[in-house]
PDB file of all heavy atoms in Angstrom:
ATOM      1  N   ASP A1345     118.653 129.889 160.652  1.00 91.00           N
ATOM      2  CA  ASP A1345     119.162 130.473 161.861  1.00 91.00           C
ATOM      3  C   ASP A1345     118.217 130.118 163.009  1.00 91.00           C
ATOM      4  O   ASP A1345     117.155 130.704 163.159  1.00 91.00           O
ATOM      5  CB  ASP A1345     119.294 131.965 161.730  1.00 91.00           C
ATOM      6  CG  ASP A1345     120.144 132.582 162.882  1.00 91.00           C
ATOM      7  OD1 ASP A1345     120.346 131.887 163.882  1.00 91.00           O
ATOM      8  OD2 ASP A1345     120.583 133.720 162.748  1.00 91.00           O
ATOM      9  N   ILE A1346     118.643 129.177 163.814  1.00 89.00           N
ATOM     10  CA  ILE A1346     117.812 128.702 164.903  1.00 89.00           C
ATOM     11  C   ILE A1346     117.603 129.727 165.997  1.00 89.00           C
ATOM     12  O   ILE A1346     116.552 129.802 166.614  1.00 89.00           O
ATOM     13  CB  ILE A1346     118.435 127.381 165.499  1.00 89.00           C
ATOM     14  CG1 ILE A1346     118.522 126.322 164.400  1.00 89.00           C
ATOM     15  CG2 ILE A1346     117.611 126.863 166.631  1.00 89.00           C
ATOM     16  CD1 ILE A1346     119.311 125.128 164.797  1.00 89.00           C
ATOM     17  N   ASP A1347     118.603 130.572 166.201  1.00 89.00           N
ATOM     18  CA  ASP A1347     118.490 131.584 167.249  1.00 89.00           C
ATOM     19  C   ASP A1347     117.377 132.598 167.002  1.00 89.00           C
ATOM     20  O   ASP A1347     116.924 133.245 167.921  1.00 89.00           O
ATOM     21  CB  ASP A1347     119.867 132.291 167.446  1.00 89.00           C
ATOM     22  CG  ASP A1347     120.896 131.263 167.872  1.00 89.00           C
ATOM     23  OD1 ASP A1347     120.560 130.337 168.553  1.00 89.00           O
ATOM     24  OD2 ASP A1347     122.084 131.538 167.575  1.00 89.00           O
ATOM     25  N   GLU A1348     117.027 132.755 165.757  1.00 90.00           N
ATOM     26  CA  GLU A1348     116.004 133.783 165.440  1.00 90.00           C
ATOM     27  C   GLU A1348     114.603 133.267 165.608  1.00 90.00           C
ATOM     28  O   GLU A1348     113.690 134.031 165.509  1.00 90.00           O
ATOM     29  CB  GLU A1348     116.218 134.224 163.973  1.00 90.00           C
ATOM     30  CG  GLU A1348     117.466 135.009 163.740  1.00 90.00           C
ATOM     31  CD  GLU A1348     117.529 135.552 162.339  1.00 90.00           C
ATOM     32  OE1 GLU A1348     116.659 135.255 161.514  1.00 90.00           O
ATOM     33  OE2 GLU A1348     118.530 136.260 162.006  1.00 90.00           O
ATOM     34  N   ASP A1349     114.419 132.008 165.822  1.00 90.00           N
ATOM     35  CA  ASP A1349     113.088 131.406 165.997  1.00 90.00           C
ATOM     36  C   ASP A1349     112.928 130.991 167.502  1.00 90.00           C
ATOM     37  O   ASP A1349     113.552 129.999 167.915  1.00 90.00           O
ATOM     38  CB  ASP A1349     112.865 130.236 165.082  1.00 90.00           C
ATOM     39  CG  ASP A1349     111.401 129.848 165.034  1.00 90.00           C
ATOM     40  OD1 ASP A1349     110.647 129.971 166.051  1.00 90.00           O
ATOM     41  OD2 ASP A1349     110.960 129.279 164.005  1.00 90.00           O
ATOM     42  N   PRO A1350     112.145 131.662 168.308  1.00 90.00           N
ATOM     43  CA  PRO A1350     112.095 131.365 169.764  1.00 90.00           C
ATOM     44  C   PRO A1350     111.453 129.998 169.974  1.00 90.00           C
ATOM     45  O   PRO A1350     111.572 129.462 171.108  1.00 90.00           O
ATOM     46  CB  PRO A1350     111.235 132.485 170.286  1.00 90.00           C
ATOM     47  CG  PRO A1350     110.423 132.957 169.116  1.00 90.00           C
ATOM     48  CD  PRO A1350     111.278 132.801 167.929  1.00 90.00           C
ATOM     49  N   ASN A1351     110.764 129.428 168.994  1.00 90.00           N
ATOM     50  CA  ASN A1351     110.093 128.115 169.192  1.00 90.00           C
ATOM     51  C   ASN A1351     110.962 126.963 168.890  1.00 90.00           C
ATOM     52  O   ASN A1351     110.605 125.783 169.106  1.00 90.00           O
ATOM     53  CB  ASN A1351     108.830 128.046 168.321  1.00 90.00           C
ATOM     54  CG  ASN A1351     107.834 129.113 168.626  1.00 90.00           C
ATOM     55  OD1 ASN A1351     107.681 129.508 169.799  1.00 90.00           O
ATOM     56  ND2 ASN A1351     107.205 129.673 167.592  1.00 90.00           N
ATOM     57  N   VAL A1352     112.186 127.198 168.385  1.00 92.00           N
ATOM     58  CA  VAL A1352     113.069 126.120 167.934  1.00 92.00           C
ATOM     59  C   VAL A1352     114.329 126.111 168.792  1.00 92.00           C
ATOM     60  O   VAL A1352     114.890 127.189 169.081  1.00 92.00           O
ATOM     61  CB  VAL A1352     113.497 126.265 166.448  1.00 92.00           C
ATOM     62  CG1 VAL A1352     114.349 125.113 166.015  1.00 92.00           C
ATOM     63  CG2 VAL A1352     112.215 126.294 165.572  1.00 92.00           C
ATOM     64  N   SER A1353     114.705 124.928 169.312  1.00 92.00           N
ATOM     65  CA  SER A1353     115.911 124.814 170.067  1.00 92.00           C
ATOM     66  C   SER A1353     116.691 123.584 169.606  1.00 92.00           C
ATOM     67  O   SER A1353     116.084 122.661 168.966  1.00 92.00           O
ATOM     68  CB  SER A1353     115.613 124.703 171.535  1.00 92.00           C
ATOM     69  OG  SER A1353     114.824 123.552 171.840  1.00 92.00           O
ATOM     70  N   MET A1354     117.997 123.529 169.914  1.00 93.00           N
ATOM     71  CA  MET A1354     118.839 122.399 169.532  1.00 93.00           C
ATOM     72  C   MET A1354     119.315 121.735 170.813  1.00 93.00           C
ATOM     73  O   MET A1354     119.762 122.390 171.752  1.00 93.00           O
ATOM     74  CB  MET A1354     119.985 122.840 168.666  1.00 93.00           C
ATOM     75  CG  MET A1354     120.857 121.664 168.102  1.00 93.00           C
ATOM     76  SD  MET A1354     122.284 122.261 167.131  1.00 93.00           S
ATOM     77  CE  MET A1354     121.490 123.036 165.813  1.00 93.00           C
ATOM     78  N   LYS A1355     119.270 120.389 170.850  1.00 92.00           N
ATOM     79  CA  LYS A1355     119.719 119.685 172.093  1.00 92.00           C
ATOM     80  C   LYS A1355     121.232 119.863 172.260  1.00 92.00           C
ATOM     81  O   LYS A1355     121.973 119.946 171.286  1.00 92.00           O
ATOM     82  CB  LYS A1355     119.396 118.187 171.947  1.00 92.00           C
ATOM     83  CG  LYS A1355     117.943 117.882 172.011  1.00 92.00           C
ATOM     84  CD  LYS A1355     117.667 116.360 172.062  1.00 92.00           C
ATOM     85  CE  LYS A1355     116.225 116.044 172.230  1.00 92.00           C
ATOM     86  NZ  LYS A1355     115.995 114.554 172.262  1.00 92.00           N
ATOM     87  N   PRO A1356     121.707 119.884 173.493  1.00 92.00           N
ATOM     88  CA  PRO A1356     123.134 120.040 173.755  1.00 92.00           C
ATOM     89  C   PRO A1356     123.903 118.858 173.139  1.00 92.00           C
ATOM     90  O   PRO A1356     123.482 117.718 173.196  1.00 92.00           O
ATOM     91  CB  PRO A1356     123.209 120.071 175.267  1.00 92.00           C
ATOM     92  CG  PRO A1356     121.843 120.469 175.755  1.00 92.00           C
ATOM     93  CD  PRO A1356     120.882 119.869 174.723  1.00 92.00           C
ATOM     94  N   ASN A1357     125.132 119.177 172.647  1.00 90.00           N
ATOM     95  CA  ASN A1357     126.032 118.132 172.082  1.00 90.00           C
ATOM     96  C   ASN A1357     125.333 117.319 171.017  1.00 90.00           C
ATOM     97  O   ASN A1357     125.576 116.106 170.880  1.00 90.00           O
ATOM     98  CB  ASN A1357     126.601 117.248 173.201  1.00 90.00           C
ATOM     99  CG  ASN A1357     127.428 118.004 174.169  1.00 90.00           C
ATOM    100  OD1 ASN A1357     128.204 118.952 173.821  1.00 90.00           O
ATOM    101  ND2 ASN A1357     127.313 117.670 175.466  1.00 90.00           N
TER     102      ASN A1357
END
Side-chain angles (χ1 to χ4, degrees):
D1345 192 345
I1346 299 170
D1347 296 332
E1348 293 185 357
D1349 193 329
N1351 300 321
V1352 182
S1353 61
M1354 185 184 297
K1355 290 186 176 180
N1357 298 321

